């Protein structure tokens, strides 16, 4: 049973460009959360998708947007890239049901902005 | 809102016991998570506390006091492989899990 898979694993972009990161949740999971993790810091919550809608959002500008597809996979889009967007982007999925659910994380996509 | 505070770094000796503290302020608090993250890898789940008290799971235990907004992770019989970052995360009723900055634990021989 595959866990959470993310692609690409590494990528390099230049300032002003746009990037799309992809995530396939663990089998049986329907909720996807995205996090940004700068070097030496904890993961910062970007947003969460459930039933193809953005359900929760952290303190990130509108340059960060996302999408969830009917098969529960998700994309994170970042426009007008800044040097400060360089980070590890983690996708985490969780199963159906109310209450606190354990998040399963993918290995992340490491973005470098030059 | 949600705010979490934990020490940035800790050092301990192989075979010893270490306690990593975490304080939190969370509106609509719905549980406290601990995750372990080795360098370059994904965070992995360690423990979840929603009621006050101590939860023991092998060498790892986690404690929660909701009235004090306080939790700790206790690691016993430390091994070199326990060197990692330990993330404290609070979960709110809206379904948002917010992490602290992480505590980088170094286990020395």
């Amino acid at each position: 049973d595959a866990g959470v898979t993310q692609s690409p694993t590494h990528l390099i972009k230049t300032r002003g460009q746009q990037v799309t990161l992809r995530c396939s949740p663990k089998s049986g999971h329907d909720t996807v959360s995205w996090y940004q993790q700068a070097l030496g810091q904890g993961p910062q919550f970007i947003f969460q998708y459930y039933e193809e809608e953005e359900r929760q959002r952290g303190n990130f500008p509108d340059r960060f947007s996302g999408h969830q597809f009917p098969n529960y996979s998700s994309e994170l889009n970042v426009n007008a890239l800044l040097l400060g967007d360089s980070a590890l982007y983690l996708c985490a999925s969780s199963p159906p049901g109310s209450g606190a659910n354990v998040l399963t994380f993918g290995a992340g996509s490491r973005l470098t902005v030059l | 809102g949600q705010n979490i505070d934990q020490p940035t770094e800790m050092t301990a000796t192989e075979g010893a016991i270490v306690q990593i503290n975490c304080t939190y302020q969370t509106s609509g608090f719905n549980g406290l998570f601990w995750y372990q993250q080795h360098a370059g890898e994904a965070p992995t789940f360690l423990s979840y506390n929603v009621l006050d008290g101590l939860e023991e799971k092998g060498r790892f235990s986690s404690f929660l006091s909701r009235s004090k907004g306080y939790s700790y992770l206790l690691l016993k019989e430390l091994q070199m492989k326990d060197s990692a970052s330990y993330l404290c995360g609070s979960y709110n009723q809206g379904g948002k899990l917010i992490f602290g900055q992480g505590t980088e634990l170094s286990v020395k021989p």
Side-chain angles (χ1 to χ4, degrees), chain A residues 34-54:
Chain A
W34 285 93
Y35 290 83
Q36 180 195 65
Q37 187 174 29
L39 204 60
Q41 300 295 315
Q44 298 296 305
F45 178 81
I46 303 175
F47 42 52
Q48 182 183 80
Y49 276 85
Y50 171 71
E51 291 188 342
E52 303 178 52
E53 301 257 338
E54 184 182 288

Side-chain angles (χ1 to χ4, degrees), chain A residues 33 35 37 40-45 48 55-58 88 90 99-108 110, chain B residues 8 30-31 33 35 37 40-45 48 85 87 91-102:
Chain A
S33 302
Y35 290 83
Q37 187 174 29
Q41 300 295 315
Q44 298 296 305
F45 178 81
Q48 182 183 80
R55 184 165 70 174
Q56 292 258 4
R57 190 178 182 93
L88 180 67
L90 293 165
N101 291 310
V102 175
L103 267 63
T104 300
F105 283 85
R110 182 163 296 284
Chain B
T8 306
N30 198 27
F33 283 86
Y35 278 76
Q37 186 177 26
E41 298 183 11
T44 55
F45 170 76
Y48 168 65
S85 180
L87 304 168
Y91 196 90
N92 73 2
Q93 290 173 348
K96 185 191 298 186
L97 178 58
I98 301 298
F99 289 100
Q101 65 184 7

Side-chain angles (χ1 to χ4, degrees), chain B residues 8-107:
Chain B
T8 306
E9 297 177 329
M10 297 185 73
T11 302
T13 306
E14 193 175 15
I17 299 173
V18 70
Q19 178 174 313
I20 303 174
N21 296 322
C22 170
T23 57
Y24 67 90
Q25 294 175 317
T26 301
S27 301
F29 176 76
N30 198 27
L32 195 291
F33 283 86
W34 285 95
Y35 278 76
Q36 179 191 59
Q37 186 177 26
H38 284 102
E41 298 183 11
T44 55
F45 170 76
L46 287 178
S47 68
Y48 168 65
N49 295 67
V50 66
L51 299 177
D52 290 351
L54 187 68
E55 295 272 347
E56 297 187 74
K57 195 185 295 185
R59 295 190 298 114
F60 292 14
S61 303
S62 56
F63 172 84
L64 177 67
S65 169
R66 289 172 296 171
S67 62
K68 296 181 180 178
Y70 168 69
S71 173
Y72 67 73
L73 180 69
L74 191 71
L75 292 76
K76 303 176 186 176
E77 302 169 17
L78 280 172
Q79 302 176 9
M80 299 299 290
K81 68 178 182 179
D82 297 330
S83 292
S85 180
Y86 290 86
L87 304 168
C88 173
S90 75
Y91 196 90
N92 73 2
Q93 290 173 348
K96 185 191 298 186
L97 178 58
I98 301 298
F99 289 100
Q101 65 184 7
T103 299
E104 191 69 35
L105 174 66
S106 297
V107 180

Side-chain angles (χ1 to χ4, degrees), chain A residues 28-86:
Chain A
H29 287 191
D30 64 354
T31 302
V32 173
S33 302
W34 285 93
Y35 290 83
Q36 180 195 65
Q37 187 174 29
L39 204 60
Q41 300 295 315
Q44 298 296 305
F45 178 81
I46 303 175
F47 42 52
Q48 182 183 80
Y49 276 85
Y50 171 71
E51 291 188 342
E52 303 178 52
E53 301 257 338
E54 184 182 288
R55 184 165 70 174
Q56 292 258 4
R57 190 178 182 93
N59 294 324
F60 280 80
D62 293 344
R63 299 186 297 110
F64 290 76
S65 63
H67 190 77
Q68 186 179 35
F69 300 93
N71 66 353
Y72 308 119
S73 67
S74 178
E75 288 182 349
L76 164 65
N77 301 291
V78 187
N79 295 322
L81 283 167
L82 304 173
L83 295 179
D85 295 332
S86 294

